[in-house]
Amino acid sequence: MLTILAAGSVFFPGLFLLSKQCLKSIPALRWSEGDAVIVSARLVSSIQAVMASSAGYIIASSCHDIIEDQHWLTSTYIMFAVPYFVYDIYAMFMCYWYKLRVKGHEEASAAPRHMTSALTSYLRREFLMVLHHVVMVTVCFPVSVFVRQGKGDYFQGVMFMAELSTPSVCLGKILIQYKQQHTLLHKVNGALMLITFFICRVLLFPYLYYVYGRYASIPFHLVPLSVPWHCNLGAALLMAPQLYWFSLICRGALRLFTGAQRRRPGVTTTTDGGTATPQPANGYRAASADSDLATH
């Protein structure tokens, strides 16, 4: 068990560092530190998503009895992936920090003070995502490995496949970061993100309830009354942030495909006839934050 945890602890940060170094060193690229950090973080998230989805498919397709059948990959991948959630909290902060530096919101002489301020702002802005990662490590990990006593590997496998939506989410973040919202790739990816997120995350728990109802010969609408209360509570707590993020994705998709633009108060005109949003007191642009948020 400790060996698998150690392997995950080395693999994900190591992959991040290797990717960052390659993006900075390859002669044809030679990206800046900030660009390399942002893209490397998204790359690692996408690779983890592919690994989790592949493991989930293998597990789910191997379990004919959805309660009793077991697969060795279930607990193994859970232990391997736990360090990813710890690493990803750090990686998300580094992306946030470099975005601020690119926008010129830090001064070299005051970097420690601004780093602290950025960390506070990051935790406030990404509270739900950080909380999600913390819960995955402190609650879902021990429950999945120790409490369920080897039962329900099929359900674990299906939940792993929820990560199928992550690569399109990561690509969307990169395209927004580099102002590629006007491209066909961004529109196609936006449609793919909307579809995969809805199928893999929003419909996840209704599907699991439906499958259990068929297994136990219980009508779908009676399944919540037939399973232990803590299963319903856990499903509700995991489902709630997915619905919230999906609502943000829908808002972003609506703006993307209809060309609708929200009116923002306090917009001023620049000397070249464009528009510029006054800098908020905390140093972050609300428009940029909204664009990023809509891709979780």
Side-chain angles (χ1 to χ4, degrees):
M1 175 178 176
L2 292 178
T3 302
I4 300 172
L5 284 170
S9 301
V10 172
F11 178 79
F12 294 110
L15 183 61
F16 171 77
L17 293 174
L18 176 63
S19 173
K20 184 182 73 168
Q21 191 60 38
C22 288
L23 291 175
K24 291 170 57 180
S25 303
I26 295 177
L29 297 176
R30 294 198 179 279
W31 287 7
S32 67
E33 177 80 10
D35 288 340
V37 164
I38 292 170
V39 174
S40 296
R42 308 308 184 205
L43 177 63
V44 174
S45 293
S46 297
I47 291 175
Q48 193 281 142
V50 172
M51 294 173 64
S53 301
S54 301
Y57 176 77
I58 293 171
I59 294 166
S61 61
S62 300
C63 295
H64 302 291
D65 186 310
I66 64 173
I67 301 297
E68 300 297 335
D69 282 0
Q70 299 182 15
H71 195 285
W72 65 269
L73 192 54
T74 308
S75 295
T76 300
Y77 191 77
I78 290 172
M79 289 186 289
F80 179 75
V82 161
Y84 164 78
F85 292 98
V86 179
Y87 142 81
D88 197 45
I89 294 175
Y90 165 78
M92 287 191 300
F93 171 70
M94 293 306 298
C95 292
Y96 189 72
W97 170 243
Y98 277 108
K99 287 176 189 176
L100 300 186
R101 295 187 64 177
V102 167
K103 294 175 184 176
H105 297 321
E106 68 89 29
E107 299 176 1
S109 60
R113 178 171 61 86
H114 280 265
M115 177 70 80
T116 302
S117 176
L119 178 59
T120 302
S121 179
Y122 160 74
L123 292 175
R124 182 173 60 250
R125 175 176 171 245
E126 300 289 355
F127 174 77
L128 188 58
M129 183 64 75
V130 173
L131 179 63
H132 170 270
H133 281 32
V134 171
V135 169
M136 292 297 292
V137 174
T138 60
V139 178
C140 295
F141 165 62
V143 168
S144 298
V145 175
F146 303 111
V147 176
R148 63 186 186 90
Q149 298 177 337
K151 294 184 181 294
D153 278 18
Y154 173 84
F155 295 99
Q156 289 289 156
V158 173
M159 286 193 285
F160 285 167
M161 287 192 285
E163 292 292 331
L164 273 171
S165 63
T166 298
S168 59
V169 173
C170 291
L171 178 58
K173 288 183 177 182
I174 293 174
L175 293 174
I176 289 175
Q177 176 67 23
Y178 295 104
K179 313 298 183 188
Q180 298 300 308
Q181 294 96 319
H182 62 283
T183 61
L184 177 62
L185 176 60
H186 184 257
K187 293 181 179 180
V188 172
N189 183 73
L192 182 63
M193 178 172 59
L194 186 67
I195 294 170
T196 57
F197 199 98
F198 178 73
I199 294 175
C200 298
R201 294 181 181 265
V202 175
L203 294 183
L204 173 63
F205 287 102
Y207 171 75
L208 293 179
Y209 276 59
Y210 166 75
V211 170
Y212 180 77
R214 287 186 55 190
Y215 173 82
S217 300
I218 302 171
F220 175 74
H221 66 281
L222 294 179
V223 172
L225 303 177
S226 305
V227 299
W229 67 269
H230 55 269
C231 293
N232 290 323
L233 177 62
L237 292 176
L238 290 174
M239 183 72 172
Q242 309 304 328
L243 291 174
Y244 170 71
W245 289 322
F246 183 67
S247 70
L248 297 180
I249 292 174
C250 289
R251 284 168 49 194
L254 183 63
R255 288 196 301 269
L256 177 64
F257 291 107
T258 64
Q261 301 219 355
R262 293 180 303 173
R263 297 173 62 88
R264 295 192 301 272
V267 175
T268 58
T269 303
T270 62
T271 55
D272 60 356
T275 59
T277 304
Q279 186 64 32
N282 64 0
Y284 307 115
R285 295 186 195 275
S288 174
D290 185 77
S291 297
D292 260 355
L293 197 59
T295 60
H296 278 309

